[in-house]
Amino acid sequence: MGLCSPVAAAPTIVHAGLECIAPGRYGIVLTGIEPPGNIQTAKVYFRSELYSDFYYVEMRPEGDRFVALLPQVDPSTPRVIYYIEAID
């Protein structure tokens, strides 16, 4: 039997959620990701409730948090579904 090396803990995403995104406005996603120095990439995947395809935008580090700007929401969109992914 071989020796197992310790597995690093997955990044922890701290995000309170978006209350709403007004039609015709950009959604701003702010989140904390721990540990921030080890993050290779962070993305926000999003889609309209009306469609099944997800799209994504890259998050950028800004101080002690990560920020992403979502595209403007079409007025016919009833709800935006999204999730955040961080890879260390």
Side-chain angles (χ1 to χ4, degrees):
M1 179 182 293
L3 295 176
C4 295
S5 59
V7 177
T12 301
I13 297 171
V14 180
H15 179 66
L18 297 175
E19 285 193 26
C20 70
I21 303 171
R25 303 291 304 244
Y26 296 98
I28 300 173
V29 179
L30 304 171
T31 190
I33 303 174
E34 297 294 332
N38 295 338
I39 302 303
Q40 295 296 315
T41 183
K43 298 176 182 174
V44 179
Y45 289 84
F46 62 92
R47 69 177 178 88
S48 166
E49 183 177 51
L50 301 173
Y51 306 104
S52 61
D53 292 338
F54 275 92
Y55 300 91
Y56 74 87
V57 292
E58 295 272 346
M59 298 191 86
R60 68 181 186 283
E62 196 172 276
D64 62 346
R65 61 187 179 181
F66 286 78
V67 179
L69 186 66
L70 300 180
Q72 289 185 359
V73 176
D74 186 275
S76 67
T77 301
R79 191 168 75 135
V80 174
I81 298 166
Y82 74 97
Y83 66 93
I84 299 167
E85 174 187 77
I87 298 175
D88 59 359

